[in-house]
């Protein structure tokens, strides 16, 4: 997950080849300096700027732009250099703001070369400054780290260069500004009225003035391209990788969205993303909507924080002057500060509402087009359900949403085969809504949610390629398990008692051992013919009831080693019930993806770290769709075994 830094905070860099992406509400010029162990710049040859954009391991943009990129290869940085400072400044002579206080706070994100964000920093609190040291990359004990600096300079680049020990800093600063002026015709201005791309996408989230939907990302789909799956080979004849995953980049779809007219955004269309198939394009589009909403909300929250911070600074400035504490001048200054705050907040809300409206329109188009593996249970497609012949790319586990627009639900998709087990938390302390429910009712609802997930997994796999086992030591989940037991999709009745728990865990543990040994030894074809090579799902209810120490150890083993060879857990448990084991079970809980039977805000996105509310999948009231689908699955399984 991306580390959101605050001023002075540092974060380790896992890669040496990086990009630093900066977005702002006005054109900025980029510089980078190399410093020795004391932070001193030894000469102009240690500075990358628009007139001389490259240094060993560093490259900056020649243009003043509202979106900048720094390319960094830390392995190529000279040994004498211990620091890399990332500098931003407002250029002279482009008609832009004279100081940072009159524009949106710049946003800097450090990313790997594949676009994965490592750390980000919003440069809030700037006012009269016109140049700033945004970030510092520094070498410590052979490893590199990034520190959020945010040190601004009222005197611009001249004062900044002087502070770093450069002789004649004013002369060199003028040279940098002159170099920018040479490229003035090519300067990228801050977008005023964004032209939404065919599928909305977002750069790193800037505060108030700029929408996350910027023209420079049109068609590129840079982040969504990263969602294109890559194959994993298990080796030999037993391969649990997804058969549809490709190793080469998918083709970009032809333009399909209706072009935008004057004042009218482009009409979104389903599947308007990269991918080899419509299923993959829809998967990438859903993840793109997820990211767009995250960054749109981040931009809005950053903008409102900026407005609040600016208001506080201006009120403090007024109150610091005794002459303004009473009388008309002070009242006028306070009213002006509040008016500016209200203006900034209104602008931020206007941008948010516009972007949310575009996402709502896209959701309304995409949701009906989703394949059944991605669709809600109320989709008409389930009425004509047929057992598939291929494994889908992903599975829907519910929806997520943010408080800015709770009715805008983003499908929560996870890749298949599952890369980690699932845990439906039946504890009353799981969420505020769970606290209001009776414990017995919550456990029943948790088991029904688990059955819902298991049924969907059975429905999206071809016949004979997915097997479900159930451990219900006390038989307390008999009613919730009825859809599975009554339709005949289970190969065996739910295991009860300590003996049943031991038998199921022992069989699955042996299966994991056999497949692992066969794969590692390159002898997958020599597996016993009676071994079921289908994906296995083990539903565990009422853990740790009925589990002795050996069974607990086997369960942990399955959670750790099972997914790589097609054995997955679906736990229904209250962590408090297993508190007697202490920290022994902490790795088990961490290895599982926690879900809840009621809405709960426990998930975070990988881009800006927002807390999202998870909504479990729900069947339409009175619907028989679950029984109908499982009945067809059972019939297909019987036909396959003939």
């Amino acid at each position: 997950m991306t580390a959101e830094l605050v001023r002075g905070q540092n974060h380790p860099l896992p890669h040496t080849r990086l990009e630093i992406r900066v977005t702002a509400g006005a054109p900025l010029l980029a510089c980078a300096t190399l410093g020795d162990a004391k932070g001193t710049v030894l000469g102009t040859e240690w500075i990358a700027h628009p007139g001389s954009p490259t240094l060993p391991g560093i490259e900056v943009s020649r243009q003043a732009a509202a979106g900048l990129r720094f390319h960094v290869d830390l392995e190529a940085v000279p040994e004498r250099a211990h620091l890399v400072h990332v500098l931003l400044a407002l250029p002279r002579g482009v008609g832009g703001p004279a100081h940072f206080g009159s524009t949106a706070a710049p946003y800097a994100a450090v990313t790997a070369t594949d676009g994965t964000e490592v750390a980000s920093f919003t440069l809030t609190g700037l006012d009269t400054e016109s140049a700033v040291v945004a970030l510092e990359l520094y070498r410590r004990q052979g490893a590199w780290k990034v520190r959020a600096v945010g040190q601004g300079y009222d005197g611009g680049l001249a004062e900044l260069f002087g502070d770093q020990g450069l002789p004649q800093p004013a002369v060199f600063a003028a040279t940098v500004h002159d170099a920018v002026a040479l490229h003035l015709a090519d300067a990228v201005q801050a977008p005023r009225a964004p032209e939404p791309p065919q599928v909305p996408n977002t750069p790193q989230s800037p505060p108030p003035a700029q929408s996350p939907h910027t023209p420079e990302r049109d068609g590129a789909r840079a982040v969504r391209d990263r969602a294109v799956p890559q194959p994993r080979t298990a080796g030999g004849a037993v391969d649990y990788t997804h058969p549809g995953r490709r190793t080469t980049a998918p083709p970009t779809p032809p333009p399909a969205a209706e072009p935008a007219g004057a004042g009218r955004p482009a009409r979104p269309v389903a599947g308007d993303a990269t991918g080899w198939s419509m299923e993959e394009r829809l998967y990438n589009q859903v993840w793109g909507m997820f990211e767009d909403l995250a960054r749109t909300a981040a931009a809005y929250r950053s903008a409102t924080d900026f407005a609040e911070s600016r208001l506080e600074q201006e009120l403090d400035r007024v109150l610091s002057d005794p002459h303004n504490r009473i009388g008309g001048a002070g009242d006028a200054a306070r009213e002006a500060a509040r008016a500016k705050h209200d203006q900034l907040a209104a602008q931020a809300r206007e941008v948010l509402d516009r972007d949310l409206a575009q996402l709502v329109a896209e959701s309304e188009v995409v949701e009906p087009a989703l394949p059944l593996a991605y669709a809600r249970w109320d989709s008409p497609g389930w009425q004509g359900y047929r057992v598939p012949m291929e494994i889908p790319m992903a599975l829907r586990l519910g929806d997520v949403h943010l408080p800015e627009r709770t009715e805008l639900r983003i499908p929560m998709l996870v890749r298949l085969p599952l890369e980690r087990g699932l845990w439906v938390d039946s504890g009353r302390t799981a969420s505020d809504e769970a606290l209001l429910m009776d414990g017995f009712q919550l456990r029943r609802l948790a088991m029904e949610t688990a059955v819902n997930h298991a049924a969907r997994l059975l429905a999206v796999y071809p016949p004979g390629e997915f097997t479900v086992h159930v451990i219900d030591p006390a038989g307390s989940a008999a009613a919730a398990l009825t859809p599975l037991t009554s339709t005949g999709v289970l190969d065996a009745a739910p295991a009860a008692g300590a003996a049943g728990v031991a038998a199921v865990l022992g069989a699955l543990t042996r299966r994991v051992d056999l497949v692992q040994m066969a794969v590692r030894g390159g002898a997958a074809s020599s597996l016993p013919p009676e071994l079921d090579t289908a994906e296995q799902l083990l539903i565990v209810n009422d853990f740790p009831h009925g589990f002795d120490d050996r069974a607990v150890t086997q369960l942990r083993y399955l959670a750790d080693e099972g997914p790589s060879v097609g054995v997955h857990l679906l736990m229904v448990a209250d962590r408090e019930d297993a508190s007697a084991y202490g920290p022994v079970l902490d790795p088990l809980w961490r290895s599982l993806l926690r879900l809840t039977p009621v809405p709960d805000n426990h998930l975070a996105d990988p881009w800006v770290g927002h807390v999202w509310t998870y909504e479990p999948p729900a069947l339409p009231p009175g619907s028989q769709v679950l029984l109908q689908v499982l009945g067809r699955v059972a019939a297909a399984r019987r036909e396959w075994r003939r």
Side-chain angles (χ1 to χ4, degrees), residues 84 115 121 194 218 232 270 290 296 305 313 320 379 395 407 427 462 529 583:
V84 178
F121 175 42
D218 288 7
R232 294 183 299 113
F290 186 20
T296 294
D305 289 344
Q313 290 178 6
S320 65
S379 170
L395 183 80
E407 66 273 17

Side-chain angles (χ1 to χ4, degrees), residues 262-274:
R264 175 173 56 84
R267 180 180 299 174
V269 296
D272 194 11
T274 57

Side-chain angles (χ1 to χ4, degrees), residues 277-417:
S277 64
M278 178 57 75
E279 179 192 18
E280 187 173 343
R281 291 178 181 179
L282 286 168
Y283 173 85
N284 291 342
Q285 188 170 11
V286 168
W287 266 92
M289 293 164 58
F290 186 20
E291 182 184 2
D292 286 346
L293 181 54
R295 296 199 187 281
T296 294
Y300 172 69
R301 295 177 186 182
S302 180
T304 54
D305 289 344
F306 173 78
E308 292 290 342
S309 174
R310 183 189 179 93
L311 175 62
E312 291 178 5
Q313 290 178 6
E314 294 188 356
L315 291 179
D316 288 344
R317 190 179 301 116
V318 171
L319 294 175
S320 65
D321 186 352
H323 298 288
N324 290 334
R325 292 177 186 173
I326 57 174
D331 292 341
R334 284 188 286 270
E335 288 300 323
R338 292 190 179 94
K340 182 61 176 178
H341 167 270
D342 294 344
Q343 179 187 2
L344 291 174
Q347 290 174 351
R349 188 72 209 188
E350 180 182 359
V351 172
L352 174 69
D353 290 342
R354 182 186 63 221
D355 291 341
L356 289 180
Q358 182 72 5
L359 284 170
V360 168
E362 186 174 8
S363 177
E364 291 173 349
V365 171
V366 169
E367 185 68 50
L370 294 177
L372 290 182
Y374 305 175
R376 296 193 300 249
W377 283 114
D378 60 0
S379 170
W382 288 109
Q383 303 304 319
Y385 167 78
R386 292 184 179 180
V387 179
M389 293 295 105
E390 293 184 355
I391 303 173
M393 177 175 293
L395 183 80
R396 186 172 189 160
L397 293 181
D399 298 328
V400 293
H401 64 81
L402 289 175
E404 280 77 8
R405 183 68 67 89
T406 57
E407 66 273 17
L408 177 55
R409 308 293 174 87
I410 305 297
M412 179 180 170
L413 303 180
V414 296
R415 281 290 181 84
L416 292 179

Side-chain angles (χ1 to χ4, degrees), residues 88-131:
L88 304 173
L90 292 165
R92 297 197 298 243
V94 300
H99 49 80
F100 283 110
S102 57
T103 185
Y107 178 89
V110 181
T111 73
T113 53
D114 64 355
T116 304
E117 282 194 18
V118 177
S120 63
F121 175 42
T122 303
L123 284 76
T124 57
L126 299 176
D127 190 5
T128 58
E129 300 90 340
S130 59

Side-chain angles (χ1 to χ4, degrees), residues 7 22 24 28-33 68 70 85-90 100 104-108 121-136 148-161 164:
R7 187 173 279 107
V22 177
L28 302 178
L29 65 86
C31 296
T33 61
L68 298 171
F70 297 73
H85 284 123
V86 175
L87 316 180
L88 304 173
L90 292 165
F100 283 110
Y107 178 89
F121 175 42
T122 303
L123 284 76
T124 57
L126 299 176
D127 190 5
T128 58
E129 300 90 340
S130 59
V132 63
V133 178
L135 298 170
E136 176 184 85
V149 181
Q151 174 63 53
Y153 293 85
D154 292 353
L157 282 176
E159 183 181 358
L160 191 158
F161 288 145
Q164 295 194 351

Side-chain angles (χ1 to χ4, degrees), residues 583-598:
V584 172
L585 291 182
D586 287 351
L588 171 65
W589 304 118
R590 287 196 297 266
S591 69
L592 304 174
L593 174 61
R594 178 174 173 261
L595 305 173
T596 53
V598 293

